[in-house]
Amino acid sequence: MFRQLSAMLIGVLLATPVFAQDTIRIATEGAYPPFNFIDASGEVKGFDVEIANALCEEMDANCELVTQNWDGIIPGLIAGRYDAIIASMSITPERQEAVSFSEPYYSNKLQFIAPGDSDFGPGDAAGSAIGAQRATIAAQWLEENVPDADIRLYDTQENAYLDLESGRLDAVLADVYVSYEWLDSDEGAAYEFKGDPVYNDDKIAVAVRKDDQVLAERFSEAIEAIRADGTYQAINGNYFPFDIY
Amino acid sequence: MNWQVMIDSFPALAEGALITLELVVISGILGVLLAVPMAMARVSPRPWLRALPLAHIYFFRGTPLLVQIYLVYYGLGQFEAVRDSVLWPYLREAYWCAIIAFTLNTSAYTAEILRGAIQSVPRGEVEAAETVGMSPALIWRRIRLPRAFRIALPAYSNEVILMLKGSALASTITLMDLTGVARTIIARTYTPVELFLAAGLLYVVLAFLILGGFRLVERRLNRHLQPG
Protein backbone atom coordinates (compact mmCIF):
# COMPACT_ATOMS: atom_id res chain seq x y z
CA MET A 1 0.00 0.00 0.00
CA PHE A 2 2.63 2.46 1.14
CA ARG A 3 4.80 1.53 -1.78
CA GLN A 4 1.98 2.04 -4.23
CA LEU A 5 1.19 5.41 -2.74
CA SER A 6 4.75 6.62 -2.84
CA ALA A 7 5.12 5.34 -6.37
CA MET A 8 2.06 7.34 -7.33
CA LEU A 9 3.39 10.41 -5.57
CA ILE A 10 6.70 10.14 -7.30
CA GLY A 11 4.91 9.68 -10.58
CA VAL A 12 2.89 12.84 -10.01
CA LEU A 13 5.95 14.80 -8.98
CA LEU A 14 7.84 13.68 -12.04
CA ALA A 15 4.96 14.23 -14.44
CA THR A 16 3.94 17.71 -13.37
CA PRO A 17 6.84 19.78 -14.69
CA VAL A 18 6.66 18.13 -18.07
CA PHE A 19 3.15 19.35 -18.81
CA ALA A 20 3.32 22.72 -17.07
CA GLN A 21 3.81 25.90 -19.02
CA ASP A 22 6.45 28.02 -17.39
CA THR A 23 4.92 30.28 -14.77
CA ILE A 24 6.01 33.87 -14.38
CA ARG A 25 4.88 35.68 -11.25
CA ILE A 26 4.39 39.37 -11.92
CA ALA A 27 3.98 42.08 -9.30
CA THR A 28 2.13 45.34 -9.72
CA GLU A 29 1.14 47.99 -7.19
CA GLY A 30 -2.62 48.38 -7.61
CA ALA A 31 -2.80 52.02 -6.47
CA TYR A 32 -1.68 53.91 -9.56
CA PRO A 33 -4.64 54.58 -11.81
CA PRO A 34 -5.00 54.36 -14.71
CA PHE A 35 -1.90 52.17 -14.98
CA ASN A 36 -2.68 49.75 -12.21
CA PHE A 37 -5.53 49.90 -9.71
CA ILE A 38 -7.96 47.68 -7.87
CA ASP A 39 -11.56 48.15 -8.99
CA ALA A 40 -14.69 47.97 -6.85
CA SER A 41 -14.91 44.18 -7.26
CA GLY A 42 -11.34 43.75 -5.97
CA GLU A 43 -9.78 42.95 -9.34
CA VAL A 44 -6.51 44.47 -10.49
CA LYS A 45 -7.01 46.46 -13.67
CA GLY A 46 -5.24 49.07 -15.74
CA PHE A 47 -2.81 49.69 -18.57
CA ASP A 48 0.06 47.81 -16.88
CA VAL A 49 -2.18 44.81 -16.23
CA GLU A 50 -3.42 44.64 -19.82
CA ILE A 51 0.14 45.00 -21.10
CA ALA A 52 1.29 42.27 -18.70
CA ASN A 53 -1.41 39.91 -19.98
CA ALA A 54 -0.62 40.70 -23.61
CA LEU A 55 3.10 40.10 -23.00
CA CYS A 56 2.40 36.78 -21.29
CA GLU A 57 0.21 35.66 -24.16
CA GLU A 58 2.92 36.67 -26.61
CA MET A 59 5.56 34.76 -24.63
CA ASP A 60 3.18 31.81 -24.25
CA ALA A 61 3.76 31.88 -20.51
CA ASN A 62 1.43 31.24 -17.64
CA CYS A 63 1.34 34.43 -15.55
CA GLU A 64 0.27 35.05 -12.00
CA LEU A 65 -0.36 38.65 -11.01
CA VAL A 66 0.23 39.75 -7.44
CA THR A 67 -0.08 43.18 -5.84
CA GLN A 68 2.62 44.62 -3.64
CA ASN A 69 3.15 47.95 -1.85
CA TRP A 70 5.24 50.27 -3.95
CA ASP A 71 8.13 50.87 -1.59
CA GLY A 72 8.59 47.15 -1.05
CA ILE A 73 8.26 46.15 -4.68
CA ILE A 74 11.98 45.96 -5.57
CA PRO A 75 12.98 44.26 -2.29
CA GLY A 76 10.22 41.69 -2.95
CA LEU A 77 11.57 41.00 -6.44
CA ILE A 78 15.10 40.55 -5.13
CA ALA A 79 13.82 38.24 -2.39
CA GLY A 80 12.24 36.04 -5.09
CA ARG A 81 8.58 36.55 -4.15
CA TYR A 82 7.87 37.16 -7.84
CA ASP A 83 9.87 37.21 -11.06
CA ALA A 84 8.99 40.50 -12.72
CA ILE A 85 7.54 43.94 -11.96
CA ILE A 86 5.12 45.52 -14.41
CA ALA A 87 4.05 48.54 -12.45
CA SER A 88 4.96 51.67 -14.42
CA MET A 89 8.49 51.51 -13.10
CA SER A 90 10.95 54.07 -14.51
CA ILE A 91 14.45 53.04 -15.49
CA THR A 92 16.90 54.88 -13.20
CA PRO A 93 20.63 54.33 -12.65
CA GLU A 94 19.97 53.54 -8.96
CA ARG A 95 17.42 50.88 -9.81
CA GLN A 96 19.70 49.45 -12.49
CA GLU A 97 22.15 48.61 -9.75
CA ALA A 98 19.49 46.52 -8.06
CA VAL A 99 17.49 45.04 -10.97
CA SER A 100 17.56 44.53 -14.75
CA PHE A 101 15.13 46.19 -17.11
CA SER A 102 13.56 45.16 -20.41
CA GLU A 103 13.25 47.63 -23.27
CA PRO A 104 10.80 50.40 -22.32
CA TYR A 105 7.08 49.87 -22.93
CA TYR A 106 6.11 53.51 -22.52
CA SER A 107 7.62 56.95 -21.96
CA ASN A 108 6.70 59.43 -19.33
CA LYS A 109 7.27 62.99 -18.15
CA LEU A 110 7.14 64.65 -14.74
CA GLN A 111 5.03 67.77 -14.33
CA PHE A 112 3.75 69.80 -11.39
CA ILE A 113 0.03 70.10 -10.70
CA ALA A 114 -1.53 72.69 -8.40
CA PRO A 115 -4.93 74.33 -7.80
CA GLY A 116 -6.17 76.14 -10.93
CA ASP A 117 -6.49 79.42 -9.03
CA SER A 118 -2.94 79.31 -7.61
CA ASP A 119 -0.06 81.03 -9.41
CA PHE A 120 2.38 78.25 -8.51
CA GLY A 121 5.08 77.60 -11.10
CA PRO A 122 7.97 75.13 -11.17
CA GLY A 123 10.24 78.02 -10.11
CA ASP A 124 8.34 78.42 -6.82
CA ALA A 125 8.98 74.86 -5.68
CA ALA A 126 11.77 75.82 -3.27
CA GLY A 127 9.63 77.43 -0.56
CA SER A 128 6.51 75.30 -1.05
CA ALA A 129 5.02 72.12 0.33
CA ILE A 130 5.30 69.59 -2.50
CA GLY A 131 3.90 66.08 -2.40
CA ALA A 132 5.18 63.00 -4.20
CA GLN A 133 4.96 59.28 -3.83
CA ARG A 134 7.79 57.71 -1.82
CA ALA A 135 10.34 55.73 -3.87
CA THR A 136 9.38 57.29 -7.23
CA ILE A 137 11.42 59.31 -9.68
CA ALA A 138 9.23 62.29 -8.78
CA ALA A 139 10.38 62.03 -5.15
CA GLN A 140 13.96 61.60 -6.28
CA TRP A 141 13.71 64.57 -8.67
CA LEU A 142 12.49 66.79 -5.82
CA GLU A 143 15.22 65.64 -3.44
CA GLU A 144 17.90 66.29 -6.04
CA ASN A 145 16.62 69.51 -7.63
CA VAL A 146 14.70 71.38 -4.93
CA PRO A 147 16.08 70.13 -1.60
CA ASP A 148 14.81 73.39 -0.01
CA ALA A 149 11.20 72.50 -0.71
CA ASP A 150 9.07 71.03 2.07
CA ILE A 151 8.91 67.57 0.44
CA ARG A 152 6.18 65.27 1.75
CA LEU A 153 6.35 61.63 0.77
CA TYR A 154 3.23 59.44 0.53
CA ASP A 155 2.76 55.68 0.42
CA THR A 156 0.48 55.93 -2.60
CA GLN A 157 -0.07 58.53 -5.32
CA GLU A 158 -3.74 58.68 -4.32
CA ASN A 159 -2.86 59.90 -0.81
CA ALA A 160 -0.77 62.71 -2.30
CA TYR A 161 -3.79 63.89 -4.30
CA LEU A 162 -5.94 63.68 -1.15
CA ASP A 163 -3.55 66.04 0.61
CA LEU A 164 -3.50 68.41 -2.36
CA GLU A 165 -7.30 68.55 -2.03
CA SER A 166 -7.14 69.22 1.71
CA GLY A 167 -4.82 72.17 1.05
CA ARG A 168 -1.87 70.76 2.99
CA LEU A 169 0.16 70.77 -0.22
CA ASP A 170 0.86 73.64 -2.60
CA ALA A 171 1.60 71.24 -5.46
CA VAL A 172 2.18 67.62 -6.39
CA LEU A 173 4.90 66.35 -8.71
CA ALA A 174 3.88 63.20 -10.58
CA ASP A 175 3.84 61.34 -13.87
CA VAL A 176 1.83 63.30 -16.44
CA TYR A 177 -0.43 60.41 -17.50
CA VAL A 178 -1.37 59.60 -13.93
CA SER A 179 -2.11 63.25 -13.26
CA TYR A 180 -3.98 63.45 -16.56
CA GLU A 181 -6.40 60.79 -15.34
CA TRP A 182 -6.86 62.47 -11.95
CA LEU A 183 -7.32 65.98 -13.40
CA ASP A 184 -10.04 64.45 -15.55
CA SER A 185 -11.93 63.14 -12.49
CA ASP A 186 -14.41 65.09 -10.33
CA GLU A 187 -11.89 65.47 -7.50
CA GLY A 188 -9.22 66.86 -9.80
CA ALA A 189 -11.42 69.28 -11.74
CA ALA A 190 -10.19 72.36 -9.85
CA TYR A 191 -6.51 71.55 -10.48
CA GLU A 192 -4.23 71.89 -13.50
CA PHE A 193 -0.72 71.33 -14.83
CA LYS A 194 1.64 74.19 -13.95
CA GLY A 195 4.55 75.08 -16.25
CA ASP A 196 6.37 72.73 -18.61
CA PRO A 197 7.31 69.18 -17.67
CA VAL A 198 10.43 69.33 -15.50
CA TYR A 199 11.71 65.95 -16.65
CA ASN A 200 11.13 64.48 -20.10
CA ASP A 201 13.27 61.44 -20.43
CA ASP A 202 11.47 58.93 -18.28
CA LYS A 203 11.38 55.40 -19.74
CA ILE A 204 9.08 52.80 -18.22
CA ALA A 205 10.03 49.13 -18.44
CA VAL A 206 9.57 45.65 -17.00
CA ALA A 207 11.95 44.95 -14.11
CA VAL A 208 13.41 41.50 -13.39
CA ARG A 209 16.10 40.20 -11.05
CA LYS A 210 19.58 41.25 -12.00
CA ASP A 211 20.73 37.78 -13.02
CA ASP A 212 17.57 37.16 -15.05
CA GLN A 213 18.78 38.64 -18.35
CA VAL A 214 17.03 35.90 -20.32
CA LEU A 215 13.64 36.90 -18.95
CA ALA A 216 14.35 40.58 -19.63
CA GLU A 217 15.16 39.64 -23.22
CA ARG A 218 11.92 37.68 -23.55
CA PHE A 219 9.94 40.67 -22.30
CA SER A 220 11.76 43.01 -24.70
CA GLU A 221 10.96 40.76 -27.65
CA ALA A 222 7.34 40.44 -26.56
CA ILE A 223 7.03 44.24 -26.26
CA GLU A 224 8.34 44.60 -29.80
CA ALA A 225 5.91 41.95 -31.01
CA ILE A 226 2.79 43.51 -29.47
CA ARG A 227 3.86 46.89 -30.87
CA ALA A 228 4.14 45.30 -34.34
CA ASP A 229 0.85 43.42 -34.34
CA GLY A 230 -1.29 46.28 -33.02
CA THR A 231 -2.15 44.73 -29.63
CA TYR A 232 -0.29 47.52 -27.86
CA GLN A 233 -2.08 50.26 -29.79
CA ALA A 234 -5.47 48.73 -28.94
CA ILE A 235 -4.64 48.70 -25.21
CA ASN A 236 -3.21 52.23 -25.40
CA GLY A 237 -6.49 53.38 -27.00
CA ASN A 238 -8.47 52.10 -24.01
CA TYR A 239 -6.75 54.66 -21.79
CA PHE A 240 -5.34 57.57 -23.74
CA PRO A 241 -6.30 59.26 -27.01
CA PHE A 242 -2.59 59.60 -27.87
CA ASP A 243 0.30 57.13 -28.20
CA ILE A 244 2.33 56.92 -24.97
CA TYR A 245 5.01 54.51 -26.29
CA MET B 1 25.32 42.91 4.38
CA ASN B 2 26.22 46.48 3.52
CA TRP B 3 27.62 47.93 6.74
CA GLN B 4 28.59 51.22 5.12
CA VAL B 5 24.97 52.12 4.32
CA MET B 6 24.03 51.41 7.96
CA ILE B 7 26.78 53.71 9.23
CA ASP B 8 25.99 56.43 6.68
CA SER B 9 22.31 56.50 7.55
CA PHE B 10 22.82 56.54 11.30
CA PRO B 11 22.59 60.35 11.78
CA ALA B 12 19.33 60.52 9.81
CA LEU B 13 17.92 57.52 11.69
CA ALA B 14 18.88 59.08 15.04
CA GLU B 15 16.98 62.21 14.08
CA GLY B 16 13.98 60.04 13.22
CA ALA B 17 14.30 58.26 16.56
CA LEU B 18 14.07 61.65 18.28
CA ILE B 19 10.77 62.37 16.50
CA THR B 20 9.51 58.92 17.50
CA LEU B 21 10.44 59.55 21.13
CA GLU B 22 8.75 62.97 21.03
CA LEU B 23 5.54 61.46 19.65
CA VAL B 24 5.47 58.78 22.34
CA VAL B 25 6.28 61.12 25.25
CA ILE B 26 3.87 63.92 24.29
CA SER B 27 0.94 61.66 23.46
CA GLY B 28 1.74 59.51 26.49
CA ILE B 29 1.45 62.48 28.85
CA LEU B 30 -1.68 63.85 27.16
CA GLY B 31 -3.14 60.34 27.14
CA VAL B 32 -2.73 59.94 30.90
CA LEU B 33 -4.33 63.35 31.51
CA LEU B 34 -7.35 62.18 29.51
CA ALA B 35 -7.37 58.69 31.00
CA VAL B 36 -7.53 59.69 34.70
CA PRO B 37 -10.97 61.37 34.59
CA MET B 38 -12.23 58.61 32.27
CA ALA B 39 -11.09 55.89 34.67
CA MET B 40 -12.65 57.76 37.61
CA ALA B 41 -15.94 57.98 35.72
CA ARG B 42 -15.74 54.26 34.90
CA VAL B 43 -15.79 53.29 38.61
CA SER B 44 -18.53 55.74 39.55
CA PRO B 45 -21.58 54.34 41.35
CA ARG B 46 -23.78 56.40 38.98
CA PRO B 47 -24.57 54.38 35.85
CA TRP B 48 -24.84 57.44 33.55
CA LEU B 49 -21.40 58.65 34.59
CA ARG B 50 -19.98 55.15 34.08
CA ALA B 51 -21.43 55.09 30.55
CA LEU B 52 -19.85 58.38 29.48
CA PRO B 53 -16.32 57.23 28.54
CA LEU B 54 -17.60 53.88 27.27
CA ALA B 55 -18.05 54.89 23.62
CA HIS B 56 -14.59 56.43 23.50
CA ILE B 57 -12.95 53.38 25.05
CA TYR B 58 -14.83 50.93 22.82
CA PHE B 59 -14.10 52.83 19.64
CA PHE B 60 -10.39 53.32 20.23
CA ARG B 61 -9.77 49.82 21.54
CA GLY B 62 -11.90 48.26 18.86
CA THR B 63 -10.40 49.83 15.73
CA PRO B 64 -6.88 49.59 14.31
CA LEU B 65 -4.53 52.46 15.06
CA LEU B 66 -3.83 52.83 11.33
CA VAL B 67 -7.52 53.45 10.67
CA GLN B 68 -7.60 56.04 13.46
CA ILE B 69 -4.58 57.86 12.03
CA TYR B 70 -6.12 57.90 8.54
CA LEU B 71 -9.42 59.19 9.92
CA VAL B 72 -7.72 62.05 11.75
CA TYR B 73 -5.31 62.94 8.93
CA TYR B 74 -7.14 62.31 5.66
CA GLY B 75 -10.67 62.15 7.10
CA LEU B 76 -10.85 65.48 8.92
CA GLY B 77 -9.02 67.28 6.11
CA GLN B 78 -11.87 66.47 3.72
CA PHE B 79 -14.37 68.73 5.43
CA GLU B 80 -14.52 72.36 4.42
CA ALA B 81 -15.71 73.27 7.93
CA VAL B 82 -12.59 71.72 9.47
CA ARG B 83 -10.32 73.45 6.95
CA ASP B 84 -11.87 76.82 7.78
CA SER B 85 -11.79 76.31 11.55
CA VAL B 86 -9.27 77.73 14.01
CA LEU B 87 -7.90 74.21 14.52
CA TRP B 88 -6.72 73.84 10.91
CA PRO B 89 -3.23 75.32 11.52
CA TYR B 90 -2.71 72.32 13.82
CA LEU B 91 -4.71 69.72 11.93
CA ARG B 92 -2.92 70.46 8.68
CA GLU B 93 0.34 69.33 10.27
CA ALA B 94 0.95 65.59 10.12
CA TYR B 95 2.79 65.93 13.44
CA TRP B 96 -0.25 67.10 15.38
CA CYS B 97 -2.55 64.65 13.63
CA ALA B 98 -0.29 61.84 14.81
CA ILE B 99 -0.24 63.26 18.36
CA ILE B 100 -4.05 63.49 18.37
CA ALA B 101 -4.54 59.94 17.08
CA PHE B 102 -1.94 58.43 19.45
CA THR B 103 -3.30 60.40 22.43
CA LEU B 104 -6.89 59.27 21.86
CA ASN B 105 -5.75 55.70 21.28
CA THR B 106 -3.51 55.41 24.32
CA SER B 107 -6.00 57.23 26.56
CA ALA B 108 -8.55 54.46 25.92
CA TYR B 109 -6.13 51.67 26.90
CA THR B 110 -4.72 53.62 29.84
CA ALA B 111 -8.20 54.38 31.16
CA GLU B 112 -8.95 50.66 31.30
CA ILE B 113 -5.62 49.89 33.00
CA LEU B 114 -6.34 52.60 35.57
CA ARG B 115 -9.93 51.44 36.10
CA GLY B 116 -8.65 47.99 37.00
CA ALA B 117 -6.05 49.48 39.32
CA ILE B 118 -8.57 51.75 41.08
CA GLN B 119 -10.82 48.76 41.65
CA SER B 120 -8.02 46.77 43.19
CA VAL B 121 -7.13 49.41 45.79
CA PRO B 122 -7.82 47.49 49.03
CA ARG B 123 -11.28 48.32 50.29
CA GLY B 124 -10.02 48.65 53.85
CA GLU B 125 -7.75 51.57 53.04
CA VAL B 126 -10.61 53.56 51.57
CA GLU B 127 -12.82 52.67 54.53
CA ALA B 128 -10.12 53.76 56.97
CA ALA B 129 -9.90 57.12 55.20
CA GLU B 130 -13.68 57.48 55.41
CA THR B 131 -13.60 56.68 59.11
CA VAL B 132 -11.16 59.46 59.88
CA GLY B 133 -13.53 61.83 58.10
CA MET B 134 -11.76 62.49 54.80
CA SER B 135 -13.95 63.99 52.09
CA PRO B 136 -14.43 61.92 48.87
CA ALA B 137 -12.23 64.37 46.94
CA LEU B 138 -9.46 64.03 49.51
CA ILE B 139 -9.74 60.23 49.44
CA TRP B 140 -9.27 60.31 45.65
CA ARG B 141 -6.28 62.58 45.97
CA ARG B 142 -4.57 60.95 48.92
CA ILE B 143 -5.58 57.28 48.80
CA ARG B 144 -7.26 55.93 45.68
CA LEU B 145 -5.31 57.64 42.87
CA PRO B 146 -1.81 57.36 44.40
CA ARG B 147 -2.43 53.69 45.21
CA ALA B 148 -3.92 53.05 41.77
CA PHE B 149 -0.94 54.64 39.98
CA ARG B 150 1.42 52.35 41.83
CA ILE B 151 -0.65 49.27 41.01
CA ALA B 152 -1.07 50.31 37.35
CA LEU B 153 2.56 51.13 36.67
CA PRO B 154 3.81 47.74 35.37
CA ALA B 155 0.80 47.34 33.05
CA TYR B 156 1.13 50.96 31.94
CA SER B 157 4.79 50.53 31.00
CA ASN B 158 3.57 47.77 28.67
CA GLU B 159 1.13 50.18 27.05
CA VAL B 160 3.90 52.75 26.47
CA ILE B 161 6.09 50.12 24.80
CA LEU B 162 3.18 49.10 22.57
CA MET B 163 2.68 52.76 21.69
CA LEU B 164 6.37 53.11 20.83
CA LYS B 165 5.96 50.35 18.28
CA GLY B 166 2.60 51.65 17.08
CA SER B 167 4.20 55.02 16.41
CA ALA B 168 5.84 53.49 13.33
CA LEU B 169 2.49 54.08 11.63
CA ALA B 170 3.18 57.83 11.72
CA SER B 171 5.34 57.22 8.64
CA THR B 172 2.16 56.57 6.64
CA ILE B 173 1.12 60.22 6.99
CA THR B 174 4.42 61.72 5.73
CA LEU B 175 6.08 62.03 9.16
CA MET B 176 9.81 61.38 9.21
CA ASP B 177 9.85 59.27 12.34
CA LEU B 178 12.32 56.41 12.72
CA THR B 179 10.39 54.14 10.35
CA GLY B 180 9.68 56.98 7.92
CA VAL B 181 13.38 57.83 7.65
CA ALA B 182 14.30 54.17 7.17
CA ARG B 183 11.73 53.72 4.40
CA THR B 184 12.83 56.90 2.62
CA ILE B 185 16.47 55.81 2.65
CA ILE B 186 15.50 52.32 1.44
CA ALA B 187 13.73 53.99 -1.49
CA ARG B 188 17.12 55.29 -2.62
CA THR B 189 19.45 52.46 -1.68
CA TYR B 190 17.29 49.29 -1.94
CA THR B 191 18.88 47.89 1.17
CA PRO B 192 15.82 47.07 3.30
CA VAL B 193 17.55 44.48 5.48
CA GLU B 194 20.32 46.83 6.58
CA LEU B 195 18.05 49.82 7.20
CA PHE B 196 15.30 47.94 9.02
CA LEU B 197 17.92 46.18 11.12
CA ALA B 198 19.43 49.54 12.10
CA ALA B 199 15.97 51.00 12.77
CA GLY B 200 15.07 47.91 14.82
CA LEU B 201 18.17 48.35 16.95
CA LEU B 202 17.26 51.99 17.61
CA TYR B 203 13.73 50.93 18.62
CA VAL B 204 15.26 48.48 21.09
CA VAL B 205 17.38 51.31 22.52
CA LEU B 206 14.29 53.52 22.85
CA ALA B 207 12.35 50.71 24.54
CA PHE B 208 15.28 50.16 26.90
CA LEU B 209 15.33 53.86 27.84
CA ILE B 210 11.58 53.92 28.44
CA LEU B 211 11.67 50.77 30.57
CA GLY B 212 14.63 52.16 32.52
CA GLY B 213 12.65 55.32 33.23
CA PHE B 214 9.74 53.24 34.48
CA ARG B 215 12.00 51.18 36.71
CA LEU B 216 13.28 54.38 38.36
CA VAL B 217 9.74 55.69 38.92
CA GLU B 218 8.61 52.31 40.24
CA ARG B 219 11.50 52.12 42.69
CA ARG B 220 10.70 55.62 43.94
CA LEU B 221 6.98 54.97 44.31
CA ASN B 222 7.51 51.67 46.10
CA ARG B 223 10.48 52.77 48.22
CA HIS B 224 8.56 51.96 51.40
CA LEU B 225 8.63 48.29 50.30
CA GLN B 226 12.38 48.16 49.89
CA PRO B 227 14.58 46.53 52.53
CA GLY B 228 16.77 48.89 54.51
Side-chain angles (χ1 to χ4, degrees):
Chain A
M1 179 67 188
F2 178 72
R3 206 186 258 172
Q4 269 177 337
L5 254 179
S6 41
M8 268 165 67
L9 267 177
I10 289 167
V12 169
L13 286 174
L14 286 177
T16 320
V18 179
F19 297 111
Q21 254 177 330
D22 67 329
T23 297
I24 303 172
R25 289 163 302 162
I26 297 175
T28 197
E29 185 197 6
Y32 206 60
F35 290 99
N36 56 74
F37 56 95
I38 295 168
D39 71 0
S41 64
E43 252 182 285
V44 198
K45 295 250 168 79
F47 179 82
D48 287 333
V49 177
E50 286 193 43
I51 290 287
N53 289 334
L55 293 178
C56 287
E57 201 166 311
E58 184 62 40
M59 300 186 320
D60 198 24
N62 185 10
C63 287
E64 270 173 36
L65 202 66
V66 295
T67 55
Q68 160 73 44
N69 283 344
W70 181 250
D71 67 354
I73 207 162
I74 285 184
L77 176 73
I78 295 170
R81 296 187 184 282
Y82 33 81
D83 309 306
I85 299 169
I86 302 185
S88 291
M89 182 171 281
S90 312
I91 302 175
T92 67
E94 292 80 5
R95 286 180 184 146
Q96 276 172 319
E97 289 189 12
V99 299
S100 291
F101 286 100
S102 70
E103 291 298 311
Y105 64 93
Y106 78 89
S107 314
N108 181 47
K109 305 177 174 94
L110 293 180
Q111 198 165 5
F112 283 103
I113 53 171
D117 55 12
S118 105
D119 48 13
F120 178 89
D124 307 322
S128 310
I130 317 275
Q133 189 181 0
R134 194 192 303 274
T136 61
I137 55 158
Q140 197 185 345
W141 189 91
L142 289 172
E143 283 167 0
E144 284 168 7
N145 294 283
V146 277
D148 294 337
D150 177 6
I151 303 167
R152 314 254 177 98
L153 300 178
Y154 296 83
D155 291 359
T156 66
Q157 188 61 47
E158 289 161 341
N159 283 347
Y161 291 139
L162 267 181
D163 247 9
L164 185 61
E165 280 174 62
S166 74
R168 288 190 180 107
L169 296 175
D170 299 316
V172 162
L173 184 65
D175 297 7
V176 280
Y177 304 123
V178 175
S179 294
Y180 177 86
E181 157 103 357
W182 183 73
L183 294 173
D184 218 27
S185 69
D186 292 344
E187 290 79 23
Y191 302 83
E192 60 183 33
F193 285 114
K194 295 287 186 183
D196 293 324
V198 292
Y199 182 68
N200 278 310
D201 196 26
D202 182 13
K203 298 291 179 199
I204 310 293
V206 180
V208 299
R209 271 182 298 279
K210 207 154 184 182
D211 53 8
D212 233 351
Q213 289 295 342
V214 182
L215 187 58
E217 276 301 311
R218 284 176 72 195
F219 274 114
S220 299
E221 282 162 20
I223 291 166
E224 207 171 310
I226 63 167
R227 271 301 284 182
D229 69 8
T231 313
Y232 182 98
Q233 286 78 353
I235 295 171
N236 189 144
N238 292 342
Y239 296 89
F240 305 102
F242 39 81
D243 190 3
I244 65 169
Y245 181 66
Chain B
M1 190 67 81
N2 185 344
W3 296 103
Q4 197 52 45
V5 84
M6 282 172 85
I7 296 164
D8 291 345
S9 15
F10 184 77
L13 287 173
E15 236 169 89
L18 219 59
I19 302 262
T20 293
L21 195 64
E22 241 176 76
L23 288 175
V24 173
V25 169
I26 295 179
S27 41
I29 291 171
L30 295 176
V32 169
L33 292 181
L34 270 181
V36 171
M38 283 201 291
M40 288 169 67
R42 290 284 289 132
V43 297
S44 163
R46 298 176 191 82
W48 61 269
L49 197 57
R50 269 206 309 270
L52 268 184
L54 213 59
H56 175 88
I57 290 173
Y58 264 81
F59 179 79
F60 283 97
R61 292 207 309 170
T63 54
L65 181 56
L66 180 64
V67 171
Q68 294 160 15
I69 291 176
Y70 268 44
L71 282 178
V72 172
Y73 188 76
Y74 292 114
L76 289 179
Q78 298 231 305
F79 299 104
E80 197 97 37
V82 176
R83 293 211 292 269
D84 293 338
S85 75
V86 288
L87 291 174
W88 186 241
Y90 296 100
L91 286 174
R92 69 174 290 153
E93 297 300 328
Y95 185 82
W96 291 109
C97 288
I99 296 263
I100 291 169
F102 292 158
T103 299
L104 293 175
N105 181 278
T106 188
S107 71
Y109 286 96
T110 310
E112 280 300 274
I113 293 172
L114 269 180
R115 177 186 63 85
I118 292 171
Q119 284 172 338
S120 47
V121 172
R123 183 86 206 108
E125 297 183 18
V126 178
E127 275 168 5
E130 281 165 354
T131 323
V132 297
M134 281 193 195
S135 70
L138 196 62
I139 297 179
W140 272 111
R141 202 154 55 80
R142 289 236 179 114
I143 313 291
R144 300 180 85 171
L145 283 180
R147 285 290 275 128
F149 285 140
R150 237 172 277 168
I151 296 166
L153 209 57
Y156 179 65
S157 73
N158 237 349
E159 161 60 17
V160 175
I161 292 297
L162 286 175
M163 194 170 43
L164 168 69
K165 291 179 286 189
S167 74
L169 291 172
S171 67
T172 61
I173 54 168
T174 76
L175 263 183
M176 286 298 176
D177 72 324
L178 183 43
T179 303
V181 171
R183 289 174 63 192
T184 303
I185 297 176
I186 291 166
R188 283 196 298 263
T189 59
Y190 305 110
T191 48
V193 178
E194 289 83 348
L195 263 297
F196 281 135
L197 193 66
L201 284 174
L202 281 173
Y203 273 111
V204 170
V205 170
L206 288 183
F208 186 78
L209 288 177
I210 290 173
L211 287 178
F214 270 101
R215 202 158 310 139
L216 282 181
V217 174
E218 215 169 317
R219 196 172 303 161
R220 192 172 152 69
L221 286 182
N222 291 334
R223 60 190 181 281
H224 59 288
L225 298 176
Q226 246 123 61

